[in-house]
Amino acid sequence: PAASHVRPRAASLSPAASHVRPRAASLSPAASHVRPHHGHLTLGPVIGTVTAVTARILIEVPFSGPVTMVVSSAFDQHPCTVRMSAGIPAVFKFSNLQPEAKYTVQVSGIDHVHSSFKTFPVYDDHEIRDDLGDKPDEFNPEHPTYLISQIGRRVALEYQRQLHEDIDLSHPVAVGHLARENHIIHPMGEYLILICDCRGAKVFSNHQRLDRTETRPFLTSRQMMDIKESLAPGGLASQCRMMIYATQVPMIFMGRKMTEKISKKLDDFEGMWSYKQHEVEQVEMLDLLYEWTTQKPGRGIVLNGGDVHLGGLAELYKNGKFWARQMTTGPISNVHLKGVALWGTNAIRQVGRKMPRGWAYKSKPFVGARNFGVVRTFDTSAGWPQCYLSLVHNTCKGGKKRIVERFWNGVEGKGREVWPVWQPPVKTVKY
């Protein structure tokens, strides 16, 4: 959701297997073993949830008929055949895989298998319509927008949610009853991927919003309780030591009062965590994440967000003490803030940085450029997992275009690999 790319520790995985969690079966495409027959893949293979012994892989083809996918390792092979319909994605499910084995993916009868990484996609408003969930139209069955939003959600279920769980899509367009909120809680060895859904939940899962009885209209109580149970002692994340947390919009961007003032001119700010009553849930989520990091020594967390057409890095403080960093990323191809809009945003970015319950933040100047984020994970000398954050963005000075990787400070960037290495030479700089 934040255009960030997670790079596991080099000790755990080779670069070719970087899309799979430590101690999990490793999956990668193998185009050289594919027999041409029917044509090509419209999409995929897209690798979804992978555990030590299971995997889910999604593809789409432009023809109807049975398609066989085989995952192979040095130890075994696992075929799976699915009868597919043209233009409709389908998931191939594999079980009884060998832990820590590297698997290649082969699709019978397809002449191209594209490279693929383990993915955790979650839609935001622009995947369906601008400001999704911030206007009453999505809740009015008589309004055309209601139908558009329901169709958009079905597409998201077909192409995204199926990567993580089975969805019954045999029903008509209205599929509100088929799936819960769109958040993802996925342990990967010592790492935890937690993607909080602050967009779809308030539209499709907040059934009580219209009569104002839902106590958490931004996230919904059901999503919050699900996350609480997973982060509690003995929960799904009890063995994890580093959390990579993401949500569609940044947890921290501007203070509540400034957000409300700007929202009168730019209604996009109505979807921010710090907008009016949303701040209650913002602080509740921050307290929940803070509690998880303090349950055991050595736990860490990085936060990620997107949507605001800017790149940035921020520090979060609890009761005056540093707690965690947040990276804001995007856009990759859309327009970005520049000129007076960028200057003004940077001028007011610290206004209202003190928040309720002892929370505060400090932001680096925002970068007005197309960008994406990189999370580098590694072990400290004490054996604890740690992360470095950086923004990769384009820049143009003196008429020369180049790609820059911008670290939080010079220490983190010093001696680090320069990544990515496409196009002109990449320059590593201090933020």
Side-chain angles (χ1 to χ4, degrees):
S4 57
H5 182 103
V6 179
R7 307 196 71 195
R9 295 169 291 166
S12 299
L13 297 167
S14 65
S18 61
H19 53 285
V20 181
R21 71 176 178 87
R23 293 190 294 277
S26 168
L27 294 166
S28 63
S32 60
H33 295 90
V34 176
R35 295 184 297 105
H37 180 59
H38 286 297
H40 63 277
L41 293 177
T42 307
L43 176 71
V46 183
I47 299 173
T49 295
V50 177
T51 68
V53 295
T54 66
R56 300 174 67 93
I57 306 173
L58 180 146
I59 64 171
E60 180 184 317
V61 295
F63 56 86
S64 298
V67 175
T68 298
M69 181 184 294
V70 180
V71 295
S72 307
S73 73
F75 311 102
D76 56 1
Q77 287 188 341
H78 296 267
C80 180
T81 301
V82 173
R83 178 167 291 278
M84 300 191 64
S85 299
I88 303 297
V91 170
F92 292 72
K93 293 177 283 187
F94 297 91
S95 58
N96 300 318
L97 303 179
Q98 294 291 325
E100 300 188 46
K102 180 179 179 179
Y103 284 84
T104 56
V105 181
Q106 304 173 46
V107 183
S108 172
I110 304 299
D111 57 2
H112 292 290
V113 179
H114 307 287
S115 76
S116 183
F117 291 89
K118 186 175 180 180
T119 55
F120 299 90
V122 176
Y123 61 85
D124 200 7
D125 57 341
H126 284 194
E127 277 72 50
I128 300 179
R129 63 158 287 181
D130 191 29
D131 300 328
L132 181 70
D134 297 330
K135 301 294 184 290
D137 299 345
E138 288 94 352
F139 308 97
N140 180 8
E142 303 300 323
H143 199 281
T145 300
Y146 179 87
L147 178 62
I148 292 173
S149 64
Q150 292 294 332
I151 294 174
R153 189 193 186 210
R154 183 184 180 93
V155 173
L157 293 173
E158 289 181 350
Y159 287 91
Q160 296 184 350
R161 196 68 198 185
Q162 279 197 109
L163 290 168
H164 306 290
E165 63 179 322
D166 293 334
I167 302 293
D168 181 3
L169 295 169
S170 62
H171 294 263
V173 171
V175 291
H177 62 289
L178 295 182
R180 57 189 175 87
E181 286 81 349
N182 204 35
H183 58 286
I184 295 174
I185 306 171
H186 185 68
M188 294 168 37
E190 292 184 317
Y191 292 84
L192 175 70
I193 300 291
L194 199 164
I195 302 179
C196 178
D197 176 27
C198 66
R199 181 64 65 180
K202 63 184 178 182
V203 182
F204 305 113
S205 301
N206 189 353
H207 305 295
Q208 297 176 319
R209 180 170 181 177
L210 290 179
D211 59 17
R212 307 296 180 184
T213 59
E214 169 63 75
T215 58
R216 298 180 179 91
F218 196 54
L219 298 177
T220 73
S221 297
R222 187 166 54 180
Q223 179 178 190
M224 183 66 76
M225 293 307 299
D226 198 8
I227 295 175
K228 279 186 176 182
E229 291 175 2
S230 299
L231 300 185
L236 189 63
S238 60
Q239 301 303 314
C240 299
R241 300 170 70 177
M242 171 59 69
M243 183 192 302
I244 300 174
Y245 173 92
T247 185
Q248 290 98 326
V249 297
M251 287 288 295
I252 302 297
F253 188 56
M254 292 183 183
R256 180 177 61 82
K257 291 183 179 180
M258 183 58 67
T259 298
E260 292 178 8
K261 288 182 179 179
I262 298 176
S263 68
K264 296 177 181 178
K265 298 292 184 179
L266 295 173
D267 58 3
D268 298 66
F269 278 70
E270 295 177 5
M272 293 294 175
W273 284 84
S274 55
Y275 178 73
K276 292 186 177 180
Q277 73 273 18
H278 299 169
E279 187 185 49
V280 176
E281 296 176 64
Q282 177 192 37
V283 173
E284 183 182 16
M285 178 60 71
L286 287 173
D287 284 343
L288 181 59
L289 299 176
Y290 177 81
E291 182 181 351
W292 180 83
T293 58
T294 57
Q295 285 174 6
K296 293 182 179 180
R299 277 183 171 172
I301 184 174
V302 294
L303 292 84
N304 302 269
D307 186 68
V308 294
H309 297 245
L310 289 169
L313 296 171
E315 288 182 336
L316 283 83
Y317 296 82
K318 177 69 170 177
N319 298 325
K321 295 182 179 180
F322 169 77
W323 173 61
R325 289 177 180 170
Q326 172 186 270
M327 178 165 60
T328 302
T329 61
I332 290 180
S333 61
N334 208 331
V335 295
H336 57 82
L337 266 67
K338 56 185 176 181
V340 175
L342 176 61
W343 179 88
T345 302
N346 276 321
I348 62 176
R349 71 184 190 279
Q350 304 280 41
V351 176
R353 68 185 192 90
K354 292 185 178 180
M355 302 161 55
R357 298 181 63 85
W359 285 102
Y361 68 89
K362 180 169 64 176
S363 294
K364 294 278 190 178
F366 291 110
V367 175
R370 294 186 175 97
N371 68 87
F372 62 89
V374 183
V375 180
R376 284 182 171 85
T377 65
F378 60 95
D379 280 346
T380 65
S381 57
W384 295 340
Q386 187 55 271
C387 292
Y388 281 162
L389 306 179
S390 65
L391 287 172
V392 179
H393 66 90
N394 65 332
T395 184
C396 182
K397 289 187 178 181
K400 294 183 178 180
K401 295 181 179 180
R402 60 177 178 170
I403 304 296
V404 173
E405 182 164 21
R406 190 176 294 270
F407 287 84
W408 182 268
N409 55 48
V411 175
E412 294 183 359
K414 185 177 181 180
R416 304 297 300 177
E417 62 179 309
V418 176
W419 186 87
V421 291
W422 77 88
Q423 292 199 11
V426 182
K427 183 178 180 182
T428 300
V429 299
K430 179 181 178 180
Y431 198 94

